[in-house]
Amino acid sequence: MNRVYNFSAGPSMLPLEVLEKAAAELVVYGESGMSVMEMSHRSPDYEAIINDAEAMLRKLMNIPDNYKVLFLQGGASTQFAAVPLNLIGRTGKADYVVSGQFSGKAYKEAQKMGYDVKCVATTKDDNFDHIPTVTKDMIRPDASYVHVCFNNTIYGTKYSYIPDTGDVPLVADMSSCIISEPVDVSKFGVIYAGAQKNMAPAGLTLVIVREDLLDYADPKMPTMLEWKTMAENGSMYNTPPCYTIYVAKLVYEWILSIGGLDEMKKRNEEKAAVLYDYLDSQDYYVAPVKKCSRSMMNVTFVTGDADLDKKFASEAAKAGLKNLKGHRSVGGMRASIYNAMPKAGVEKLVEFMKAFAEANPKN
Ligand SMILES: *Cc1c(COP(=O)(O)O)cnc(C)c1O
């Protein structure tokens, strides 16, 4: 069977070049005589892999030297707990911006631990159709940090600006937009991301943390969640997600080979424009997100008729355009067009949308 265009929000498409390289090296890696899956994480071959992965990511994202890069397990959801546990010691308080489901979960997790947490801005009353405007005066000056979700995977919104939080460290969940375009890491205290959207298969969680923020952990916290312990042990306090880190390295290598994040951004903008330009040119489909907050990675749209939406997703799947059904909590359609989605896939989707609208008139 041929490969389809997979619009899944995550786990999602990986670049074909990466899958082919991984396949070629699957059984025997280099001169090691074994698969990466079978290697000790303490072996010289594996150490080279994880060190290269970190070096390539640092180059790709231009990560300053005073930031640690951690390759962890547990998914982005584990970081919803790890963030307060590692940082609350600064002042005992934390502020949250709730712009969608995942940032809501992060907020609730911190609340659950009994900390003094405050939601400083939300767009809940507008069905999360845009990103709130966050200004310095909204933030408690004695907050340990401000947490945001930079790209809302479910609603299809993204920050078009980096909030100015003054001296309060900005913590961002970038699970669904990491390495999709250049970002000024120095504006953030912590960036974290589950890998399965734009970076690697599931099982790896990336944390990029400014060194001076490693000293505020709650002393009673589980060691496995402590960034400082992980940083001091080069992400190898215990066995890291070895194979997933290896695939992430292949993904970083691929992006570097095409010209880095500037080129990645250019391609992603072109792809997203194919879809948004079409959405803006007609009235059969409606894009519910306000233009100022549109995501380049997750594009949501509806026909306005739940039965038609259902028919759309199932007929699209038959045409080789898979996983276009919107998140179960929102409905409609969602096209996740991460780094690995080729422009041809988005063009094919737009052709399908036109044909579907023609064949299924609304009355
Ligand atoms: C998918 C996603 C999560 C959850 O990630 P897990 O790795 O499944 O825990 C959190 N935040 C955002 C923005 C996501 O897209």
Side-chain angles (χ1 to χ4, degrees):
M1 188 186 174
N2 289 330
R3 280 174 62 77
V4 297
Y5 291 116
N6 176 10
F7 293 89
S8 169
S12 41
M13 282 183 82
L14 285 164
L16 185 59
E17 293 90 330
V18 166
L19 293 174
E20 285 172 343
K21 178 113 196 260
E25 296 181 334
L26 183 71
V27 177
V28 178
Y29 178 79
E31 296 300 307
S32 72
M34 62 181 83
S35 170
V36 175
M37 292 187 209
E38 303 169 304
M39 271 176 198
S40 162
H41 56 296
R42 311 276 179 204
S43 64
D45 278 316
Y46 193 75
E47 264 178 30
I49 291 172
I50 194 169
N51 290 342
D52 283 354
E54 176 172 343
M56 285 177 192
L57 183 68
R58 283 187 177 277
K59 187 170 175 201
L60 203 54
M61 291 184 71
N62 198 14
I63 300 173
D65 288 342
N66 64 326
Y67 284 73
K68 294 288 186 190
V69 172
L70 311 177
F71 296 113
L72 310 176
Q73 308 199 38
S77 304
T78 298
Q79 293 305 314
F80 296 167
V83 166
L85 285 167
N86 279 284
L87 296 176
I88 203 78
R90 281 188 78 239
T91 66
K93 303 177 178 184
D95 287 356
Y96 279 74
V97 179
V98 175
S99 59
Q101 218 177 82
F102 290 114
S103 48
K105 281 186 175 171
Y107 172 56
K108 276 201 196 116
E109 190 77 3
Q111 250 182 343
K112 187 178 165 188
M113 293 180 208
Y115 297 130
D116 174 355
V117 290
K118 183 180 172 195
C119 171
V120 293
T122 181
T123 42
K124 189 168 189 284
D125 291 343
D126 301 307
N127 269 324
F128 299 121
D129 68 354
H130 66 287
I131 296 291
T133 306
V134 182
T135 53
K136 207 156 61 177
D137 57 292
M138 296 159 78
I139 294 155
R140 295 183 289 182
D142 60 345
S144 293
Y145 61 91
V146 184
H147 181 281
V148 298
C149 176
F150 221 58
N151 184 80
N152 296 289
T153 325
I154 292 173
Y155 294 91
T157 58
K158 188 197 164 247
Y159 281 76
S160 59
Y161 67 100
I162 298 176
D164 175 9
T165 55
D167 292 333
V168 180
L170 181 60
V171 176
D173 176 356
M174 291 200 185
S175 294
S176 49
C177 59
I178 190 96
I179 59 174
S180 62
E181 61 181 333
V183 46
D184 184 352
V185 175
S186 73
K187 295 276 197 303
F188 297 84
V190 181
I191 292 171
Y192 68 93
Q196 71 274 21
K197 311 286 163 63
N198 216 8
M199 216 153 50
L204 166 67
T205 313
L206 173 73
V207 174
I208 301 167
V209 51
R210 214 173 63 211
E211 271 167 1
D212 61 284
L213 296 175
L214 292 172
D215 289 322
Y216 300 104
D218 183 331
K220 289 203 292 285
M221 76 184 291
T223 309
M224 277 298 293
L225 299 185
E226 209 171 47
W227 296 333
K228 190 172 189 176
T229 301
M230 288 299 173
E232 283 171 354
N233 290 278
S235 301
M236 295 223 215
Y237 169 76
N238 71 326
T239 316
C242 301
Y243 193 76
T244 315
I245 294 169
Y246 156 75
V247 180
K249 189 204 84 158
L250 297 183
V251 169
Y252 305 152
E253 211 163 26
W254 173 72
I255 302 175
L256 287 167
S257 79
I258 65 167
L261 291 186
D262 288 324
E263 174 63 20
M264 202 70 256
K265 179 184 187 185
K266 187 170 150 262
R267 292 186 187 190
N268 285 331
E269 278 175 345
E270 281 172 15
K271 268 180 344 200
V274 171
L275 195 41
Y276 284 123
D277 287 350
Y278 171 65
L279 285 167
D280 291 340
S281 72
Q282 51 77 60
D283 53 18
Y284 187 86
Y285 305 97
V286 174
V289 167
K290 288 197 174 144
K291 284 187 183 173
C292 61
S293 298
R294 280 176 168 177
S295 167
M296 197 161 61
M297 297 280 100
N298 312 98
V299 181
T300 50
F301 54 95
V302 297
T303 62
D305 175 333
D307 289 334
L308 272 182
D309 288 350
K310 222 170 141 185
K311 190 175 177 193
F312 181 98
S314 90
E315 290 198 356
K318 282 181 210 143
L321 306 164
K322 299 269 185 184
N323 292 314
L324 281 160
K325 192 167 165 277
H327 188 270
R328 59 188 182 278
S329 64
V330 188
M333 276 74 74
R334 170 178 53 176
S336 295
I337 50 174
Y338 299 118
N339 289 351
M341 173 62 69
K343 190 176 175 188
V346 185
E347 286 166 348
K348 192 169 172 201
L349 170 61
V350 168
E351 287 316 306
F352 177 85
M353 290 169 77
K354 287 178 186 168
F356 185 87
E358 190 98 342
N360 297 276
K362 290 187 227 168
N363 29 35

